[in-house]
Amino acid sequence: MTEAGGSAGPIGAAHTRYAPGAPCWVSLMVHGLTTTQEFYGELFGWEFQPGPQQLGPYVRALLDGGEVAGIGQLSPDRHLPVAWTPYLASDDVDTTAETVRLCGGTIGVGPLDASDAGRLAIGSDPSGAVFGIWQAAAHVGTTVTGVPGTPAWYELTTYETASVRKFYETVFGYDEEAAVSADFDYLTLHVAGRPVAGVHGVGGALPRDLGPHWTTYFEVADTDAALTRVAGLGGHVLGPAHDSAHGRVATVADPEGARFSLIQVQR
């Protein structure tokens, strides 16, 4: 999260429906499902229950009975990057997927039904950053936010905001607020007047091994203590914690290399 970020929602918010464009779910595909559950269960206090199995073994992470995120298992022959993927809400995933294609993005998976839970697609923007699209049915998405162990913010890191802003504005209908700074390339994306995600252009500072990518920030009660837990559980601390306008932040990776950020939110 940067100085231009914002809160993902009120404390302990319970969601019944997400407006189109709002990040509504986050999912991770891994090779070792059991060991990954152990890592996140210890780190965030998550419990797990089985979810739709169309794409292979899959579980939903629960916090105090509320659904937070999904974790699925990659088939052994699929050598895909292990990464957290945010899903953006849509009232019609087929139409949204077609708009993605018309605007220069790609659709790699779907659209397809996930049992009675909803309908999904996975695509990428013109710069290659991967995201999901979710049309809710029985499964609305993340049902609790604003407490430790839940997603707090979503941020796209790309070469420059100008190269993708029209894509996201056209596909998802975002209102945008640019940072007022000549040397800070940042957009905050708004849905219904509320900040829901950010886009950070970093130019040549973008790591070549990552390319443009979305990052999920998970709230923790104490960032420094969480970093100690991450390391003790076999994860990786990718940089020191630092204080921002919105809280204390650090970037880490789980034992399989999936990157995410931690934030101790200031309230």
Side-chain angles (χ1 to χ4, degrees):
M1 186 178 289
T2 69
E3 309 311 309
S7 174
I11 298 173
H15 296 275
T16 56
R17 179 186 178 277
Y18 284 87
C24 61
W25 187 244
V26 63
S27 189
L28 173 66
M29 299 298 291
V30 299
H31 297 286
L33 184 57
T34 300
T35 55
T36 299
Q37 289 180 72
E38 292 172 353
F39 173 84
Y40 288 101
E42 290 291 332
L43 180 61
F44 293 137
W46 291 350
E47 297 178 334
F48 300 91
Q49 68 178 18
Q53 309 288 308
Q54 278 88 340
L55 301 180
Y58 189 86
V59 295
R60 291 177 182 157
L62 307 179
L63 186 67
D64 295 328
E67 295 181 340
V68 176
I71 303 176
Q73 183 166 307
L74 290 165
S75 60
D77 59 335
R78 299 195 73 181
H79 302 288
L80 299 174
V82 175
W84 281 102
T85 301
Y87 281 73
L88 309 175
S90 171
D91 287 338
D92 186 335
V93 69
D94 294 82
T95 298
T96 302
E98 183 59 26
T99 307
V100 166
R101 295 187 186 98
L102 291 173
C103 292
T106 60
I107 296 295
V109 177
L112 57 85
D113 291 324
S115 185
D116 63 347
R119 190 162 171 81
L120 68 88
I122 300 174
S124 58
D125 68 25
S127 72
V130 175
F131 59 89
I133 308 165
W134 181 252
Q135 179 183 337
H139 173 63
V140 67
T142 299
T143 58
V144 60
T145 57
V147 295
T150 64
W153 186 245
Y154 304 85
E155 191 166 274
L156 169 62
T157 304
T158 190
Y159 294 109
E160 56 182 3
T161 61
S163 63
V164 295
R165 67 182 300 170
K166 191 65 177 177
F167 171 85
Y168 285 100
E169 177 185 328
T170 303
V171 175
F172 295 106
Y174 294 123
D175 294 319
E176 302 164 349
E177 180 184 352
V180 184
S181 173
D183 58 354
F184 185 57
D185 185 15
Y186 196 94
L187 288 177
T188 304
L189 305 179
H190 293 252
V191 170
R194 185 172 67 89
V196 296
V199 183
H200 190 191
V202 298
L206 188 68
R208 290 186 178 181
D209 60 330
L210 280 179
H213 61 280
W214 281 92
T215 299
T216 300
Y217 288 70
F218 290 97
E219 183 172 343
V220 291
D222 184 321
T223 298
D224 296 279
L227 292 183
T228 300
R229 289 201 301 276
V230 166
L233 293 167
H236 312 280
V237 177
L238 302 180
H242 65 278
D243 293 318
S244 77
H246 303 284
R248 191 159 176 78
V249 176
T251 300
V252 300
D254 68 19
E256 289 201 21
R259 292 175 175 239
F260 58 100
S261 291
L262 306 171
I263 180 166
Q264 180 181 338
V265 178
Q266 290 182 348
R267 293 193 170 96

